[in-house]
PDB file of all heavy atoms in Angstrom:
ATOM      1  N   VAL F 169       0.865  -1.190  -0.016  1.00 94.00           N
ATOM      2  CA  VAL F 169       0.000   0.028   0.092  1.00 94.00           C
ATOM      3  C   VAL F 169       0.846   1.196   0.002  1.00 94.00           C
ATOM      4  O   VAL F 169       1.996   1.105   0.662  1.00 94.00           O
ATOM      5  CB  VAL F 169      -0.974  -0.036   1.251  1.00 94.00           C
ATOM      6  CG1 VAL F 169      -0.182   0.025   2.563  1.00 94.00           C
ATOM      7  CG2 VAL F 169      -1.865   1.210   1.183  1.00 94.00           C
ATOM      8  N   VAL F 170       0.496   2.294  -0.743  1.00 94.00           N
ATOM      9  CA  VAL F 170       1.175   3.554  -0.741  1.00 94.00           C
ATOM     10  C   VAL F 170       0.307   4.667  -0.719  1.00 94.00           C
ATOM     11  O   VAL F 170      -0.835   4.565  -1.375  1.00 94.00           O
ATOM     12  CB  VAL F 170       2.129   3.538  -1.956  1.00 94.00           C
ATOM     13  CG1 VAL F 170       1.265   3.440  -3.285  1.00 94.00           C
ATOM     14  CG2 VAL F 170       2.984   4.835  -2.078  1.00 94.00           C
ATOM     15  N   GLY F 171       0.619   5.705   0.048  1.00 92.00           N
ATOM     16  CA  GLY F 171      -0.338   6.940   0.113  1.00 92.00           C
ATOM     17  C   GLY F 171       0.294   7.999  -0.631  1.00 92.00           C
ATOM     18  O   GLY F 171       1.421   8.460  -0.492  1.00 92.00           O
ATOM     19  N   LEU F 172      -0.529   8.598  -1.587  1.00 91.00           N
ATOM     20  CA  LEU F 172      -0.132   9.718  -2.399  1.00 91.00           C
ATOM     21  C   LEU F 172      -0.777  11.032  -1.834  1.00 91.00           C
ATOM     22  O   LEU F 172      -2.028  11.035  -1.952  1.00 91.00           O
ATOM     23  CB  LEU F 172      -0.418   9.559  -3.795  1.00 91.00           C
ATOM     24  CG  LEU F 172      -0.018   8.189  -4.566  1.00 91.00           C
ATOM     25  CD1 LEU F 172      -0.409   8.196  -6.070  1.00 91.00           C
ATOM     26  CD2 LEU F 172       1.478   8.139  -4.468  1.00 91.00           C
ATOM     27  N   PRO F 173      -0.054  12.023  -1.504  1.00 90.00           N
ATOM     28  CA  PRO F 173      -0.812  13.229  -1.125  1.00 90.00           C
ATOM     29  C   PRO F 173      -1.542  13.773  -2.294  1.00 90.00           C
ATOM     30  O   PRO F 173      -0.876  13.923  -3.389  1.00 90.00           O
ATOM     31  CB  PRO F 173       0.473  14.145  -0.680  1.00 90.00           C
ATOM     32  CG  PRO F 173       1.533  13.198  -0.382  1.00 90.00           C
ATOM     33  CD  PRO F 173       1.308  12.020  -1.236  1.00 90.00           C
ATOM     34  N   ALA F 174      -2.778  14.181  -2.107  1.00 85.00           N
ATOM     35  CA  ALA F 174      -3.573  14.664  -3.324  1.00 85.00           C
ATOM     36  C   ALA F 174      -3.036  15.920  -3.909  1.00 85.00           C
ATOM     37  O   ALA F 174      -3.029  16.052  -5.161  1.00 85.00           O
ATOM     38  CB  ALA F 174      -4.967  14.938  -2.713  1.00 85.00           C
ATOM     39  N   GLU F 175      -2.246  16.721  -3.068  1.00 87.00           N
ATOM     40  CA  GLU F 175      -1.778  17.955  -3.654  1.00 87.00           C
ATOM     41  C   GLU F 175      -0.605  17.694  -4.511  1.00 87.00           C
ATOM     42  O   GLU F 175      -0.262  18.571  -5.441  1.00 87.00           O
ATOM     43  CB  GLU F 175      -1.370  18.827  -2.442  1.00 87.00           C
ATOM     44  CG  GLU F 175      -0.196  18.254  -1.634  1.00 87.00           C
ATOM     45  CD  GLU F 175       0.290  19.268  -0.516  1.00 87.00           C
ATOM     46  OE1 GLU F 175      -0.421  20.324  -0.421  1.00 87.00           O
ATOM     47  OE2 GLU F 175       1.177  18.856   0.294  1.00 87.00           O
ATOM     48  N   ASP F 176       0.173  16.547  -4.461  1.00 89.00           N
ATOM     49  CA  ASP F 176       1.275  16.248  -5.316  1.00 89.00           C
ATOM     50  C   ASP F 176       0.662  15.846  -6.784  1.00 89.00           C
ATOM     51  O   ASP F 176       1.562  15.741  -7.606  1.00 89.00           O
ATOM     52  CB  ASP F 176       2.030  15.024  -4.793  1.00 89.00           C
ATOM     53  CG  ASP F 176       2.799  15.359  -3.613  1.00 89.00           C
ATOM     54  OD1 ASP F 176       2.722  16.550  -3.135  1.00 89.00           O
ATOM     55  OD2 ASP F 176       3.609  14.523  -3.061  1.00 89.00           O
ATOM     56  N   LEU F 177      -0.511  15.561  -6.914  1.00 86.00           N
ATOM     57  CA  LEU F 177      -1.029  15.227  -8.132  1.00 86.00           C
ATOM     58  C   LEU F 177      -1.295  16.459  -9.072  1.00 86.00           C
ATOM     59  O   LEU F 177      -1.481  16.317 -10.308  1.00 86.00           O
ATOM     60  CB  LEU F 177      -2.290  14.440  -8.016  1.00 86.00           C
ATOM     61  CG  LEU F 177      -2.191  13.098  -7.260  1.00 86.00           C
ATOM     62  CD1 LEU F 177      -3.604  12.406  -7.175  1.00 86.00           C
ATOM     63  CD2 LEU F 177      -1.243  12.088  -8.101  1.00 86.00           C
ATOM     64  N   ARG F 178      -1.340  17.581  -8.480  1.00 83.00           N
ATOM     65  CA  ARG F 178      -1.697  18.764  -9.262  1.00 83.00           C
ATOM     66  C   ARG F 178      -0.532  19.153 -10.161  1.00 83.00           C
ATOM     67  O   ARG F 178       0.681  18.969  -9.804  1.00 83.00           O
ATOM     68  CB  ARG F 178      -1.971  20.015  -8.299  1.00 83.00           C
ATOM     69  CG  ARG F 178      -3.097  19.633  -7.345  1.00 83.00           C
ATOM     70  CD  ARG F 178      -3.194  20.831  -6.270  1.00 83.00           C
ATOM     71  NE  ARG F 178      -4.262  20.544  -5.224  1.00 83.00           N
ATOM     72  CZ  ARG F 178      -4.219  21.174  -4.096  1.00 83.00           C
ATOM     73  NH1 ARG F 178      -3.356  22.078  -3.809  1.00 83.00           N
ATOM     74  NH2 ARG F 178      -5.210  20.867  -3.253  1.00 83.00           N
ATOM     75  N   VAL F 179      -0.826  19.727 -11.205  1.00 81.00           N
ATOM     76  CA  VAL F 179       0.220  20.277 -12.256  1.00 81.00           C
ATOM     77  C   VAL F 179      -0.198  21.518 -12.767  1.00 81.00           C
ATOM     78  O   VAL F 179      -1.339  22.117 -12.479  1.00 81.00           O
ATOM     79  CB  VAL F 179       0.215  19.230 -13.463  1.00 81.00           C
ATOM     80  CG1 VAL F 179       0.855  17.864 -13.043  1.00 81.00           C
ATOM     81  CG2 VAL F 179      -1.090  18.963 -14.145  1.00 81.00           C
ATOM     82  N   GLU F 180       0.722  22.168 -13.456  1.00 78.00           N
ATOM     83  CA  GLU F 180       0.482  23.529 -13.988  1.00 78.00           C
ATOM     84  C   GLU F 180      -0.528  23.497 -15.115  1.00 78.00           C
ATOM     85  O   GLU F 180      -1.343  24.424 -15.310  1.00 78.00           O
ATOM     86  CB  GLU F 180       1.807  24.257 -14.388  1.00 78.00           C
ATOM     87  CG  GLU F 180       2.768  24.442 -13.403  1.00 78.00           C
ATOM     88  CD  GLU F 180       4.013  25.224 -13.833  1.00 78.00           C
ATOM     89  OE1 GLU F 180       4.060  25.487 -15.003  1.00 78.00           O
ATOM     90  OE2 GLU F 180       4.828  25.516 -12.927  1.00 78.00           O
ATOM     91  N   GLN F 181      -0.525  22.436 -15.819  1.00 77.00           N
ATOM     92  CA  GLN F 181      -1.535  22.343 -16.959  1.00 77.00           C
ATOM     93  C   GLN F 181      -2.882  22.079 -16.342  1.00 77.00           C
ATOM     94  O   GLN F 181      -3.012  21.564 -15.339  1.00 77.00           O
ATOM     95  CB  GLN F 181      -1.184  21.256 -17.915  1.00 77.00           C
ATOM     96  CG  GLN F 181       0.295  21.337 -18.493  1.00 77.00           C
ATOM     97  CD  GLN F 181       1.288  20.473 -17.603  1.00 77.00           C
ATOM     98  OE1 GLN F 181       1.122  20.389 -16.413  1.00 77.00           O
ATOM     99  NE2 GLN F 181       2.211  19.857 -18.341  1.00 77.00           N
ATOM    100  N   GLU F 182      -3.849  22.203 -17.200  1.00 78.00           N
ATOM    101  CA  GLU F 182      -5.273  21.879 -16.865  1.00 78.00           C
ATOM    102  C   GLU F 182      -5.510  20.335 -16.908  1.00 78.00           C
ATOM    103  O   GLU F 182      -6.365  19.933 -16.078  1.00 78.00           O
ATOM    104  CB  GLU F 182      -6.283  22.552 -17.702  1.00 78.00           C
ATOM    105  CG  GLU F 182      -6.309  24.029 -17.577  1.00 78.00           C
ATOM    106  CD  GLU F 182      -7.488  24.675 -18.234  1.00 78.00           C
ATOM    107  OE1 GLU F 182      -8.287  24.018 -18.927  1.00 78.00           O
ATOM    108  OE2 GLU F 182      -7.765  25.961 -18.116  1.00 78.00           O
ATOM    109  N   THR F 183      -4.823  19.633 -17.657  1.00 84.00           N
ATOM    110  CA  THR F 183      -4.929  18.221 -17.716  1.00 84.00           C
ATOM    111  C   THR F 183      -3.476  17.510 -17.719  1.00 84.00           C
ATOM    112  O   THR F 183      -2.534  18.141 -18.336  1.00 84.00           O
ATOM    113  CB  THR F 183      -5.722  17.681 -18.902  1.00 84.00           C
ATOM    114  OG1 THR F 183      -5.018  18.143 -20.088  1.00 84.00           O
ATOM    115  CG2 THR F 183      -7.178  18.318 -18.914  1.00 84.00           C
ATOM    116  N   ALA F 184      -3.378  16.370 -17.253  1.00 87.00           N
ATOM    117  CA  ALA F 184      -2.127  15.603 -17.262  1.00 87.00           C
ATOM    118  C   ALA F 184      -2.482  14.217 -16.917  1.00 87.00           C
ATOM    119  O   ALA F 184      -3.454  13.830 -16.347  1.00 87.00           O
ATOM    120  CB  ALA F 184      -1.119  16.336 -16.368  1.00 87.00           C
ATOM    121  N   THR F 185      -1.443  13.322 -17.389  1.00 91.00           N
ATOM    122  CA  THR F 185      -1.461  11.976 -16.953  1.00 91.00           C
ATOM    123  C   THR F 185      -0.172  11.561 -16.290  1.00 91.00           C
ATOM    124  O   THR F 185       0.884  11.722 -16.799  1.00 91.00           O
ATOM    125  CB  THR F 185      -1.563  10.959 -18.247  1.00 91.00           C
ATOM    126  OG1 THR F 185      -2.846  11.424 -19.006  1.00 91.00           O
ATOM    127  CG2 THR F 185      -1.639   9.608 -17.951  1.00 91.00           C
ATOM    128  N   TRP F 186      -0.338  11.034 -15.056  1.00 92.00           N
ATOM    129  CA  TRP F 186       0.797  10.523 -14.157  1.00 92.00           C
ATOM    130  C   TRP F 186       1.015   9.004 -14.594  1.00 92.00           C
ATOM    131  O   TRP F 186       0.058   8.205 -14.340  1.00 92.00           O
ATOM    132  CB  TRP F 186       0.618  10.739 -12.808  1.00 92.00           C
ATOM    133  CG  TRP F 186       0.598  12.140 -12.330  1.00 92.00           C
ATOM    134  CD1 TRP F 186      -0.497  12.965 -12.125  1.00 92.00           C
ATOM    135  CD2 TRP F 186       1.785  12.872 -11.979  1.00 92.00           C
ATOM    136  NE1 TRP F 186      -0.076  14.136 -11.670  1.00 92.00           N
ATOM    137  CE2 TRP F 186       1.234  14.144 -11.560  1.00 92.00           C
ATOM    138  CE3 TRP F 186       3.112  12.579 -11.835  1.00 92.00           C
ATOM    139  CZ2 TRP F 186       2.187  15.104 -11.036  1.00 92.00           C
ATOM    140  CZ3 TRP F 186       3.925  13.497 -11.436  1.00 92.00           C
ATOM    141  CH2 TRP F 186       3.463  14.763 -11.043  1.00 92.00           C
ATOM    142  N   ASN F 187       2.205   8.632 -15.137  1.00 92.00           N
ATOM    143  CA  ASN F 187       2.526   7.210 -15.275  1.00 92.00           C
ATOM    144  C   ASN F 187       3.323   6.775 -13.959  1.00 92.00           C
ATOM    145  O   ASN F 187       3.890   7.584 -13.331  1.00 92.00           O
ATOM    146  CB  ASN F 187       3.275   7.014 -16.462  1.00 92.00           C
ATOM    147  CG  ASN F 187       2.542   7.330 -17.815  1.00 92.00           C
ATOM    148  OD1 ASN F 187       1.420   6.705 -17.945  1.00 92.00           O
ATOM    149  ND2 ASN F 187       3.034   8.217 -18.657  1.00 92.00           N
ATOM    150  N   MET F 188       3.125   5.438 -13.575  1.00 91.00           N
ATOM    151  CA  MET F 188       3.812   5.067 -12.390  1.00 91.00           C
ATOM    152  C   MET F 188       4.267   3.727 -12.521  1.00 91.00           C
ATOM    153  O   MET F 188       3.753   2.813 -13.359  1.00 91.00           O
ATOM    154  CB  MET F 188       2.758   5.166 -11.179  1.00 91.00           C
ATOM    155  CG  MET F 188       1.469   4.549 -11.492  1.00 91.00           C
ATOM    156  SD  MET F 188       0.329   5.053 -10.034  1.00 91.00           S
ATOM    157  CE  MET F 188       0.300   6.831 -10.114  1.00 91.00           C
ATOM    158  N   PHE F 189       5.415   3.380 -11.759  1.00 92.00           N
ATOM    159  CA  PHE F 189       5.919   2.064 -11.695  1.00 92.00           C
ATOM    160  C   PHE F 189       6.532   1.830 -10.272  1.00 92.00           C
ATOM    161  O   PHE F 189       6.762   2.837  -9.609  1.00 92.00           O
ATOM    162  CB  PHE F 189       6.946   1.892 -12.777  1.00 92.00           C
ATOM    163  CG  PHE F 189       8.024   2.812 -12.902  1.00 92.00           C
ATOM    164  CD1 PHE F 189       9.261   2.606 -12.094  1.00 92.00           C
ATOM    165  CD2 PHE F 189       7.960   4.082 -13.559  1.00 92.00           C
ATOM    166  CE1 PHE F 189      10.222   3.433 -12.081  1.00 92.00           C
ATOM    167  CE2 PHE F 189       9.052   4.831 -13.498  1.00 92.00           C
ATOM    168  CZ  PHE F 189      10.123   4.672 -12.778  1.00 92.00           C
ATOM    169  N   LEU F 190       6.938   0.535  -9.966  1.00 92.00           N
ATOM    170  CA  LEU F 190       7.709   0.248  -8.832  1.00 92.00           C
ATOM    171  C   LEU F 190       9.107   0.300  -9.131  1.00 92.00           C
ATOM    172  O   LEU F 190       9.640  -0.298 -10.166  1.00 92.00           O
ATOM    173  CB  LEU F 190       7.351  -1.021  -8.227  1.00 92.00           C
ATOM    174  CG  LEU F 190       5.840  -1.210  -7.737  1.00 92.00           C
ATOM    175  CD1 LEU F 190       5.495  -2.460  -7.179  1.00 92.00           C
ATOM    176  CD2 LEU F 190       5.525  -0.169  -6.618  1.00 92.00           C
ATOM    177  N   SER F 191      10.008   0.842  -8.181  1.00 91.00           N
ATOM    178  CA  SER F 191      11.341   0.870  -8.302  1.00 91.00           C
ATOM    179  C   SER F 191      11.968   0.240  -7.071  1.00 91.00           C
ATOM    180  O   SER F 191      11.337  -0.007  -6.071  1.00 91.00           O
ATOM    181  CB  SER F 191      11.944   2.285  -8.420  1.00 91.00           C
ATOM    182  OG  SER F 191      13.289   2.336  -8.518  1.00 91.00           O
ATOM    183  N   GLY F 192      13.288  -0.212  -7.251  1.00 86.00           N
ATOM    184  CA  GLY F 192      13.958  -0.796  -6.086  1.00 86.00           C
ATOM    185  C   GLY F 192      13.808  -2.245  -6.115  1.00 86.00           C
ATOM    186  O   GLY F 192      14.048  -3.018  -5.044  1.00 86.00           O
ATOM    187  N   MET F 193      13.450  -2.951  -7.198  1.00 83.00           N
ATOM    188  CA  MET F 193      13.338  -4.356  -7.314  1.00 83.00           C
ATOM    189  C   MET F 193      14.722  -5.028  -7.396  1.00 83.00           C
ATOM    190  O   MET F 193      15.759  -4.259  -7.654  1.00 83.00           O
ATOM    191  CB  MET F 193      12.474  -4.839  -8.436  1.00 83.00           C
ATOM    192  CG  MET F 193      11.153  -4.074  -8.533  1.00 83.00           C
ATOM    193  SD  MET F 193      10.160  -4.196  -7.080  1.00 83.00           S
ATOM    194  CE  MET F 193       9.767  -5.972  -7.001  1.00 83.00           C
ATOM    195  N   ALA F 194      14.750  -6.271  -7.131  1.00 78.00           N
ATOM    196  CA  ALA F 194      16.109  -6.966  -7.017  1.00 78.00           C
ATOM    197  C   ALA F 194      16.866  -6.902  -8.447  1.00 78.00           C
ATOM    198  O   ALA F 194      18.164  -6.771  -8.311  1.00 78.00           O
ATOM    199  CB  ALA F 194      15.843  -8.477  -6.556  1.00 78.00           C
ATOM    200  N   ASP F 195      16.117  -6.865  -9.470  1.00 79.00           N
ATOM    201  CA  ASP F 195      16.918  -6.935 -10.836  1.00 79.00           C
ATOM    202  C   ASP F 195      17.219  -5.491 -11.211  1.00 79.00           C
ATOM    203  O   ASP F 195      17.736  -5.383 -12.297  1.00 79.00           O
ATOM    204  CB  ASP F 195      16.128  -7.711 -11.778  1.00 79.00           C
ATOM    205  CG  ASP F 195      14.703  -7.040 -12.013  1.00 79.00           C
ATOM    206  OD1 ASP F 195      14.379  -5.992 -11.431  1.00 79.00           O
ATOM    207  OD2 ASP F 195      13.865  -7.715 -12.714  1.00 79.00           O
ATOM    208  N   GLY F 196      16.700  -4.528 -10.501  1.00 81.00           N
ATOM    209  CA  GLY F 196      17.027  -3.112 -10.849  1.00 81.00           C
ATOM    210  C   GLY F 196      16.124  -2.564 -11.864  1.00 81.00           C
ATOM    211  O   GLY F 196      16.380  -1.321 -12.274  1.00 81.00           O
ATOM    212  N   LYS F 197      15.188  -3.345 -12.439  1.00 85.00           N
ATOM    213  CA  LYS F 197      14.437  -2.826 -13.525  1.00 85.00           C
ATOM    214  C   LYS F 197      13.110  -2.223 -12.979  1.00 85.00           C
ATOM    215  O   LYS F 197      12.511  -2.720 -12.002  1.00 85.00           O
ATOM    216  CB  LYS F 197      14.056  -4.050 -14.485  1.00 85.00           C
ATOM    217  CG  LYS F 197      15.200  -4.581 -15.185  1.00 85.00           C
ATOM    218  CD  LYS F 197      14.734  -5.737 -16.033  1.00 85.00           C
ATOM    219  CE  LYS F 197      16.013  -6.423 -16.743  1.00 85.00           C
ATOM    220  NZ  LYS F 197      15.703  -7.446 -17.672  1.00 85.00           N
TER     221      LYS F 197
END
């Protein structure tokens, strides 16, 4: 589980798409 502060999702543009992934896996990918 991970908590994202709602204010961190705001951007200067009126619309945007946040892509996401997990980092720190054993294979480094």
